[in-house]
């Protein structure tokens, strides 16, 4: 995953990169602060039977917070590192909502993006379908968590 840290005015403070492992959900990742903006990118790796990377399914999220509330959110998704035999067939599900955290009804924001991916080989046709997902929870102090699967 890649994390970019911004000030509330939009000035980039720095970028950090970490590897998102299948089935893990770290504790809070970003440093806590009273206000600011953060851009995060978390992904689910899918591997072939031989152990090669088939593709990565990403969810991106840019969010801003201040005054104990998450007050701006933009969520996206995309596929990368495709080995050429996997085809994105659209979103199976997408959802997002604000939730109460630390005494504020908009203290956090949850989002999920789940794709439909088909593994297709010329002449043989499509052999399998997978449904990778990424969930991201963000908080009004700049902290965030993620979960991957599917």
């Amino acid at each position: 995953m890649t994390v970019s840290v911004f000030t509330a005015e939009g000035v980039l403070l720095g970028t950090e990169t970490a590897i998102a492992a299948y089935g893990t959900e770290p504790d809070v990742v970003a440093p806590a602060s009273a206000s600011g903006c953060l851009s995060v990118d978390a992904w689910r790796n899918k591997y072939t039977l031989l152990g090669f990377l088939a593709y990565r399914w990403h969810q991106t999220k840019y969010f801003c917070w201040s005054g104990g509330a998450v007050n701006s959110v933009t969520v996206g998704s995309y596929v990368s590192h495709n080995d050429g035999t996997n085809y994105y067939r659209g979103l199976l599900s997408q959802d997002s909502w604000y939730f109460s955290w630390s005494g504020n009804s908009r203290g956090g924001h949850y989002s999920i993006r789940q794709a439909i991916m088909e593994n297709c080989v010329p002449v043989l046709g499509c052999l399998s379908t997978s449904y990778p997902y990424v969930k991201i929870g963000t908080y009004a102090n700049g902290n965030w968590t993620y979960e991957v699967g599917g």
Side-chain angles (χ1 to χ4, degrees), residues 37-112:
C37 296
L38 188 66
S39 178
V40 297
D41 183 338
W43 59 83
R44 162 70 162 103
N45 289 334
K46 186 69 172 186
Y47 295 94
T48 67
L49 291 174
L50 298 176
F52 298 103
L53 182 63
Y55 65 84
R56 278 190 180 144
W57 170 248
H58 297 254
Q59 182 188 152
T60 59
K61 192 172 200 177
Y62 178 80
F63 70 105
C64 298
W65 67 94
S66 66
V70 175
N71 47 34
S72 174
V73 176
T74 304
V75 179
S77 57
Y78 67 99
V79 178
S80 73
H81 297 79
N82 193 328
D83 68 0
T85 64
N86 291 280
Y87 297 89
Y88 172 65
R89 302 298 191 203
L91 289 174
L92 176 65
S93 66
Q94 63 177 333
D95 206 353
S96 64
W97 61 82
Y98 291 94
F99 58 87
S100 292
W101 181 80
S102 193
N104 191 307
S105 63
R106 289 175 58 111
H109 186 272
Y110 168 87
S111 57
I112 181 172

Side-chain angles (χ1 to χ4, degrees), residues 131-146:
Y131 306 96
Y133 66 82
V134 177
K135 301 175 183 179
I136 298 177
T138 55
Y139 301 87
N141 63 357
N143 290 331
W144 65 287
T145 62
Y146 73 97

